[in-house]
Amino acid sequence: RRGVTMMAKGSNTKATKLQYVEIEDALQDAWRLEGVVATLREGGLGVVPTDTCYSFVTDVQSRKGVERLYGFVRGNEKVKKPLSLLCHSISQISSYTTAVNFKKVFKMLKACLPGPYTFIFPSTNELPRVILEHKKHTWKRKEIGVRIPDDPCLLSILEGLDSPVLVYSVPREGPGGQQPFDPALVLDRWGKEVDFIVANGPRSEGMSTTVIDMTGEDPVLLREGIGSFEDVE
């Protein structure tokens, strides 16, 4: 099914029909994602599967979408740092960060990505100012986390959009609660708040990316996830 009869609230509180797109085979069902890509281009916000969990995403170039996404974050936790970008290629990463200024860094990214890593780099002027200088928060250090997910469904969306998306993992329900790893749970909780949900089966519980700070001379492990830090060192 391509959509369900449910009303989602946009940034102007106008109700719109939720797109609930079920994907079984990312290659054969790629055509089903065309509406999702179109919605992202229009500044929409929705939930997609990644290689670790389900996450909210919006086009990084959309001020309206970015405002909505940061509103979700503020509703669940204090915004301590900019959100990360999901990209479809190292070339796209290089447009928004200084990642490939050094040959050894390029080789490292090529070896690790796509994969469960988030790398933090200094950002370039291509990154929209609203990401770092939002009206509710401003960060002095101009840096951004980037990753290429190892998920064919999500990569199909990113390649169709040809623009990175800002990402925020669907949060846990209450203190000590579990993160909803099944799309049916995401639909039940967030279906009235987003423009689309892409369902591609459940994700394993407890999976997270390995976060590595690349802004200094040497890589610094900030969070250990399912990606091996030994592959980076």
Side-chain angles (χ1 to χ4, degrees):
R1 56 185 177 179
R2 297 203 63 181
V4 296
T5 306
M6 180 175 290
M7 308 312 288
K9 291 183 179 180
S11 58
N12 58 359
T13 70
K14 181 181 179 181
T16 57
K17 185 176 180 181
L18 169 71
Q19 297 178 69
Y20 186 84
V21 185
E22 293 181 318
I23 301 294
E24 294 183 3
D25 185 293
L27 295 178
Q28 295 184 7
D29 295 341
W31 62 273
R32 293 182 179 273
L33 298 169
E34 293 174 0
V36 169
V37 173
T39 300
L40 283 169
R41 287 200 181 107
E42 295 169 358
L45 181 148
V47 177
V48 299
T50 74
D51 47 355
T52 55
C53 63
Y54 277 85
S55 298
F56 297 107
V57 294
T58 193
D59 187 347
V60 71
Q61 299 293 343
S62 169
R63 174 175 288 273
K64 179 179 72 172
V66 170
E67 296 280 358
R68 286 181 66 190
L69 185 52
Y70 272 120
F72 273 41
V73 179
R74 289 195 300 274
N76 290 280
E77 60 185 88
K78 184 178 179 181
V79 183
K80 299 179 181 179
K81 58 185 179 180
L83 299 178
S84 297
L85 302 182
L86 297 178
C87 301
H88 65 58
S89 64
I90 294 177
S91 174
Q92 195 170 67
I93 287 177
S94 69
S95 295
Y96 291 85
T97 74
T98 61
V100 295
N101 285 6
F102 301 96
K103 187 175 181 179
K104 66 176 183 179
V105 175
F106 175 79
K107 291 178 64 176
M108 180 269 295
L109 291 178
K110 199 170 179 64
C112 294
L113 300 176
Y117 294 90
T118 298
F119 294 101
I120 299 175
F121 289 103
S123 61
T124 66
N125 290 333
E126 290 297 316
L127 186 70
R129 291 182 60 183
V130 67
I131 306 299
L132 298 174
E133 299 177 9
H134 194 264
K135 62 184 179 181
K136 296 290 184 179
H137 45 255
T138 299
W139 292 274
K140 294 180 179 179
R141 298 183 64 181
K142 308 303 181 184
E143 56 192 39
I144 191 75
V146 292
R147 63 179 298 237
I148 302 176
D150 189 13
D151 185 280
C153 179
L154 179 51
L155 283 175
S156 181
I157 294 173
L158 293 173
E159 290 166 0
L161 182 64
D162 200 28
S163 174
V165 294
L166 199 63
V167 61
Y168 172 56
S169 298
V170 173
R172 299 176 184 273
E173 293 299 313
Q178 293 185 342
Q179 191 175 22
F181 293 93
D182 190 289
L185 298 176
V186 176
L187 174 63
D188 183 60
R189 172 62 181 86
W190 298 101
K192 295 183 179 180
E193 305 296 328
V194 297
D195 303 313
F196 63 84
I197 295 174
V198 177
N200 185 223
R203 293 298 183 262
S204 299
E205 184 179 349
M207 296 178 68
S208 60
T209 63
T210 294
V211 181
I212 301 169
D213 188 341
M214 300 292 294
T215 59
E217 292 185 5
D218 299 306
V220 176
L221 179 65
L222 299 183
R223 183 184 73 191
E224 187 173 4
I226 60 176
S228 173
F229 185 56
E230 294 180 357
D231 294 339
V232 176
E233 292 180 295

